Amino acid sequence: MLKIMGILVVLIAVTCGYIFAGGSLLMLWQPAEFVIILGAALGAILLANDKEVLKDICVQCKRAFVKHDDRDLYQQFILLTMEVLENTKRQGLKYLDEHIENPQESPLFAKYPLILDELQLMTFLTDNLRLLSLGKIEGYELEAILDKEISAMSEKRLSASQAVGTSAEAMPGFGIMAAVLGIVITMGRIDAGIVVVGLHVAGALIGTFFGIFMCYGVLSPLSEAMKVTVERDITLLNACREVLINFAAGKTPLMSIDAGRRMIPEKYKPTFAEMETWIEEGKAR
């Protein structure tokens, strides 16, 4: 909702300022300019990116307009990882086998539906729990592996927002291109009279305006919003990374969970006492 309000505020502010200055709304309607600019931008995106990036652009654009309140998600993350680590410590690494092979049907994971919905987190968690179950691995070895994995995932996921950001930077150029073509058409009608020439020049300049508007009013903010959704997901992975590394290094389950807690964003981060309360309440269920 906030993102939609932002777009509306930009649109209304620009349009109202134009009208207050004596502008005509009819002059803003230049479909030929829009086709040139948007068509060129779309073609450039298709040319520069593969199918996977294009799919990520669509998915992340949708997610950018969804409000996330992740307090319950982080609570379930803490309770799940605590239960996994405690049971692993008591029953050994073989305990993990029945749950990580098919987590969607695991009674353990079924208790934490918000975690099941986070497919990237689930894949990261189960894959690395499987790695732990294969045998002894030192904390520093696991840290190196997870750092590389998260770095690769982050680079891949950020490529969508970078593609939109690159298109945003190109929009003023596409606007100028459309304006130049409009001026070329105008020069071909230079003998049509000053009023007609003036209207054609004004129409051509709308292309420049539209390119700048799309760059700074829509695509650049959208690119940043997409980046925020990726950073949210990476923060979850980093919290999981800390839990796994500390557990592999021989820390107790509670100390391992606390290491992950410290990676949670400030607005969702529970205090240590709150975390202990969550855990005790979870055990009592």
Side-chain angles (χ1 to χ4, degrees):
M1 179 61 73
L2 195 61
K3 303 292 191 303
I4 295 174
M5 285 180 59
I7 293 175
L8 291 176
V9 168
V10 171
L11 187 60
I12 291 171
V14 171
T15 303
C16 289
Y18 172 73
I19 293 173
F20 292 160
S24 169
L25 282 178
L26 188 61
M27 279 303 302
L28 294 178
W29 179 244
Q30 301 294 333
E33 304 275 328
F34 304 154
V35 169
I36 292 170
I37 297 168
L38 296 178
L42 178 60
I45 289 180
L46 294 176
L47 180 62
N49 302 284
D50 58 30
K51 285 184 179 180
E52 196 166 353
V53 174
L54 296 175
K55 182 180 178 181
D56 277 349
I57 289 174
C58 295
V59 171
Q60 291 180 26
C61 278
K62 292 178 182 178
R63 291 187 64 203
F65 289 91
V66 176
K67 182 180 179 181
H68 295 286
D69 186 355
D70 290 334
R71 184 172 177 81
D72 289 342
L73 174 64
Y74 281 111
Q75 182 177 7
Q76 289 195 14
F77 168 75
I78 287 173
L79 294 177
L80 169 63
T81 49
M82 188 65 183
E83 185 170 353
V84 168
L85 297 190
E86 283 192 327
N87 286 329
T88 300
K89 195 169 183 65
R90 283 199 302 265
Q91 303 177 35
L93 293 171
K94 287 297 181 183
Y95 160 80
L96 298 173
D97 292 345
E98 63 178 295
H99 299 292
I100 60 180
E101 290 303 324
N102 194 354
Q104 299 297 329
E105 297 181 4
S106 164
L108 169 64
F109 287 103
K111 295 190 290 185
Y112 307 101
L114 295 180
I115 301 297
L116 278 176
D117 289 341
E118 297 291 331
L119 298 182
Q120 182 177 248
L121 175 63
M122 280 298 301
T123 302
F124 182 83
L125 177 60
T126 54
D127 282 355
N128 289 294
L129 286 174
R130 185 177 290 109
L131 180 61
L132 286 177
S133 71
L134 293 176
K136 181 64 176 176
I137 182 171
E138 298 294 335
Y140 69 88
E141 295 174 315
L142 183 61
E143 181 176 7
I145 293 171
L146 299 189
D147 283 346
K148 290 179 181 178
E149 183 177 2
I150 291 177
S151 177
M153 294 171 74
S154 178
E155 183 178 347
K156 174 181 174 294
R157 295 290 306 282
L158 286 172
S159 59
S161 64
Q162 290 167 354
V164 173
T166 300
S167 296
E169 293 172 359
M171 290 304 287
F174 290 139
I176 293 172
M177 178 181 69
V180 168
L181 292 176
I183 294 299
V184 169
I185 294 172
T186 301
M187 291 298 101
R189 301 175 181 175
I190 197 71
D191 58 348
I194 190 169
V195 174
V196 174
V197 169
L199 288 173
H200 278 287
V201 170
L205 291 175
I206 293 300
T208 303
F209 156 75
F210 185 67
I212 295 172
F213 175 81
M214 288 298 295
C215 172
Y216 297 107
V218 179
L219 293 182
S220 285
L222 178 59
S223 174
E224 287 300 312
M226 292 167 63
K227 182 179 176 182
V228 168
T229 67
V230 173
E231 290 173 345
R232 167 197 176 266
D233 296 340
I234 298 302
T235 299
L236 271 168
L237 297 185
N238 279 321
C240 186
R241 166 189 173 276
E242 289 297 318
V243 171
L244 295 174
I245 289 172
N246 279 269
F247 187 67
K251 299 292 197 314
T252 65
L254 185 59
M255 290 179 66
S256 301
I257 300 303
D258 184 56
R261 177 190 69 86
R262 295 172 188 276
M263 301 300 295
I264 296 175
E266 204 63 40
K267 62 180 177 179
Y268 303 125
K269 183 192 297 184
T271 64
F272 188 87
E274 286 176 325
M275 182 184 72
E276 284 190 308
T277 301
W278 289 354
I279 293 171
E280 291 303 319
E281 290 176 349
K283 289 178 180 179
R285 291 172 188 168

